Amino acid sequence: MRNAADYRRILLKISGEALNGGSNFCFNSQVLSYLADEVAAALAMKKQVAIVVGGGNIVRGEMLSSDMGVDRVTADYMGMLATVINGKALQSALNAAGIDTRLQSALNMEQVVAPYIREKAVRHLENGQVVIFAGGTGNPFFSTDTAAALRASEIGANALLKATNVDGVYSSDPAKNADAKRYDTLPMNDAINQQLRVMDATALALCRERKLPVHVFKLTTPGTLAAILKGQDEGTLLTC
């Protein structure tokens, strides 16, 4: 059993690609409904839940820059806009499930979404509302993993939970290497030194500095989020 009893406030990082559920459309209603159920279970445990969502199901800034020749700064801003679209979709799904949700963006577009203000975000969390952070960090050259680490640090989260399409961190790509070893726990220094690509190095370095534990787990396994919050051995725990 892991000690997760102190995880009063968590930040959940969801990739944009996860929202389409492998379909050709940007969103999958079953995935959105599943995410709402997972968040509801965490709230029922009296946890405060913040979310950072990526934009890769719509636009990946780095790919636009490398594959299509779009200026990197422009491409990254396009990616940030994609996270706002995803944030709106996720907010709608959570609200439809009866979960009071607020969406804040690092990019200023007040007709569409409220601006990111730390004090308001913390107040919403303390009032039992879910807060979704969109727009990345608001700056180019930084990933949404870094945005997740930054927001988690700013709001005083006790843990960062990264939902992925694999059930933890492996010594190498399990899709390519049948002998890849899955770690139950792993020091962040090892993840950085071995370049395991769990999160980008900037995000991991910030989590290490802030002594913020990171759980990596499989998104599509129902009940995993609640299991982690109960201290069960799900996924991989990156330690500081």
Side-chain angles (χ1 to χ4, degrees):
M1 294 285 289
R2 295 166 177 163
N3 183 15
D6 294 333
Y7 291 176
R8 183 179 68 91
R9 179 177 297 163
I10 63 169
L11 188 138
L12 176 63
K13 167 63 188 350
I14 303 172
S15 70
E17 291 93 334
L19 299 183
N20 67 16
S23 68
N24 294 324
F25 190 59
C26 295
F27 309 108
N28 181 295
S29 60
Q30 292 181 331
V31 170
L32 291 171
S33 177
Y34 157 75
L35 288 172
D37 290 342
E38 293 293 292
V39 171
L43 294 174
M45 297 171 66
K46 306 302 181 184
K47 304 298 183 181
Q48 297 176 12
V49 182
I51 300 172
V52 165
V53 62
N57 55 323
I58 301 172
V59 168
R60 292 189 66 86
E62 186 175 355
M63 186 176 296
L64 276 178
S65 178
S66 61
D67 295 353
M68 300 183 64
V70 178
D71 173 78
R72 177 60 190 272
V73 173
T74 299
D76 281 356
Y77 277 117
M78 292 169 68
M80 290 180 231
L81 291 172
T83 70
V84 175
I85 295 173
N86 283 342
K88 295 290 285 186
L90 187 55
Q91 180 188 31
S92 178
L94 293 176
N95 284 340
I99 300 170
D100 193 4
T101 306
R102 298 292 186 269
L103 176 63
Q104 294 188 350
S105 171
L107 297 176
N108 189 7
M109 49 180 78
E110 294 188 21
Q111 288 178 300
V112 178
V113 57
Y116 168 66
I117 299 175
R118 174 188 173 275
E119 290 80 5
K120 285 189 176 181
V122 170
R123 191 179 311 124
H124 292 322
L125 292 169
E126 291 174 343
N127 289 337
Q129 297 156 332
V130 172
V131 180
I132 302 172
F133 299 118
T137 66
N139 299 286
F141 306 112
F142 292 98
S143 71
T144 49
D145 278 349
T146 298
L150 178 62
R151 295 292 179 251
S153 299
E154 288 178 319
I155 65 172
N158 306 116
L160 193 162
L161 279 56
K162 182 175 179 180
T164 70
N165 59 358
V166 292
D167 60 348
V169 179
Y170 284 78
S171 57
S172 60
D173 189 345
K176 299 178 180 178
N177 180 11
D179 295 323
K181 173 189 175 183
R182 186 178 73 82
Y183 299 103
D184 291 327
T185 61
L186 182 69
M188 289 185 193
N189 279 336
D190 290 354
I192 294 172
N193 294 336
Q194 296 176 36
Q195 298 182 341
L196 295 180
R197 303 185 69 179
V198 183
M199 302 172 75
D200 65 69
T202 302
L204 279 176
L206 179 55
C207 291
R208 179 183 59 187
E209 177 186 337
R210 301 302 303 168
K211 301 188 183 308
L212 181 69
V214 177
H215 289 257
V216 181
F217 67 101
K218 191 170 184 177
L219 176 73
T220 55
T221 305
T224 304
L225 179 57
I228 290 172
L229 297 176
K230 292 175 183 176
Q232 298 177 14
D233 296 333
E234 296 283 349
T236 299
L237 171 62
L238 299 176
T239 61
C240 308

